[in-house]
Amino acid sequence: MLTAITEAVRDGNTYDIAELVQSGLDAGAKPLDMLKAMTDGLDQCGKKFESGEYFLPELLMASDTFTNGMQVLEPHLGQAALGQAGKVLLGTVAGDVHDIGKNLVGFLLKSAGFEVIDIGTDNSTERIVAAVKEHQPDVLGLSALLTTTMLGMGDVIKALDSAGLRKTKVIIGGGPVSARFAEQIKADAYASDAVEGIRKIRELIGR
Ligand code: B12
């Protein structure tokens, strides 16, 4: 059944995914295992895209399928008391519309009791700084999936510095970024995946 879920996401089967996830839940499969199965599907789709077997429409279908599956799965990922763990603002940087990884981080943070403010994708530096000023989050989580857009993360950190807003800690994530890059742009932390992200965010907040 987990394999069927992985294949449905990989092949962009938007119609059957909700039913597959629901029957997995009914059969007693663990929600986190099903989340992993769906993420594996995206990974496999990405590999096929890289090797030239799949093209952009297949990527879009896979991402829609993931989102449809998440609608069924999310309520089952567990919910701790909202906001108790801290406040996190999430956003993808300018020029970048990838949001699946960021959304996954958001889902897990909410399940772990964080208040999450998600400002979506393709955010200009000015918009991110304004949101930090408005919401005063404990942590700002920035996402970028393109080697071109990741450079915008450094701009955001410089702008936060100039605006005196570095009480908010900054964590970065996304395919092309690394711990070394985080150090270069003076981010407070880097995480390679959502689970590590939650752990690092907890460390940053120190609760
Ligand atoms: C799905 C996808 C798309 C979808 C995005 C849909 C959506 N709503 O997100 C669509 C079709 C729109 C798309 C478009 C493009 N894409 Co694309 N896409 C992908 C793909 C296949 C999967 C990305 C994904 O969702 N992965 C699954 C998630 C769960 O993983 P993740 O994002 O890495 O996130 C995890 C971690 O990185 C981390 N994380 C991520 N963000 C954050 C943030 C914080 C705070 C923390 C703590 C952690 C964290 O935690 C997450 C969960 O564990 C990747 C290939 C790949 N294997 O990554 C290419 C890929 C990213 N895309 C690529 C490209 C080139 C493009 C396009 C330029 C293609 C084109 N020619 O038009 C456009 C650009 C559009 C734009 N302006 O942004 C390249 C990037 C190359 C590069 N290094 O720059 C990749 C790597 C494919 C490839 N090998 O060529 N894409």
Side-chain angles (χ1 to χ4, degrees):
M1 183 264 303
L2 291 177
T3 313
I5 289 178
T6 300
E7 287 172 358
V9 173
R10 182 193 68 200
D11 299 333
N13 187 346
T14 51
Y15 299 108
D16 293 334
I17 188 71
E19 204 178 312
L20 280 170
V21 171
Q22 190 58 56
S23 39
L25 288 168
D26 294 343
K30 288 199 190 114
L32 275 181
D33 290 344
M34 299 218 280
L35 181 62
K36 163 115 186 26
M38 289 209 296
T39 313
D40 285 350
L42 278 180
D43 271 353
Q44 290 180 14
C45 179
K47 291 206 173 90
K48 284 178 182 283
F49 180 70
E50 281 163 36
S51 68
E53 191 183 333
Y54 279 6
F55 297 96
L56 212 51
E58 280 88 1
L59 280 189
L60 278 172
M61 292 302 282
S63 116
D64 284 355
T65 307
F66 183 89
T67 307
N68 287 0
M70 232 24 227
Q71 275 166 9
V72 181
L73 193 57
E74 191 190 359
H76 298 272
L77 285 171
Q79 202 67 252
L82 187 70
Q84 234 174 40
K87 196 198 275 189
V88 182
L89 181 80
L90 289 178
T92 304
V93 294
D96 200 321
V97 303
H98 294 88
D99 66 356
I100 298 171
K102 168 186 69 60
N103 294 348
L104 199 54
V105 173
F107 287 132
L108 292 189
L109 280 170
K110 278 193 224 158
S111 315
F114 287 86
E115 179 185 351
V116 177
I117 299 146
D118 189 334
I119 57 169
T121 61
D122 190 13
N123 286 290
S124 66
T125 298
E126 294 72 25
R127 185 168 146 63
I128 296 172
V129 171
V132 169
K133 209 176 225 164
E134 181 187 345
H135 298 287
Q136 308 271 332
D138 299 300
V139 177
L140 166 68
L142 292 175
S143 184
L145 266 284
L146 300 171
T147 42
T148 44
T149 59
M150 65 190 253
L151 302 173
M153 294 172 152
D155 298 338
V156 171
I157 291 176
K158 278 192 203 131
L160 288 174
D161 271 336
S162 312
L165 291 169
R166 279 307 288 281
K167 195 165 80 89
T168 293
K169 304 282 182 219
V170 182
I171 182 167
I172 62 167
V177 306
S178 61
R180 199 173 135 69
F181 178 67
E183 219 172 279
Q184 277 168 7
I185 64 168
K186 301 193 167 53
D188 298 291
Y190 155 78
S192 63
D193 62 38
V195 174
E196 190 188 345
I198 313 304
R199 185 171 58 72
K200 293 257 174 97
I201 287 170
R202 280 209 179 97
E203 282 171 17
L204 286 176
I205 296 180
R207 285 189 202 155

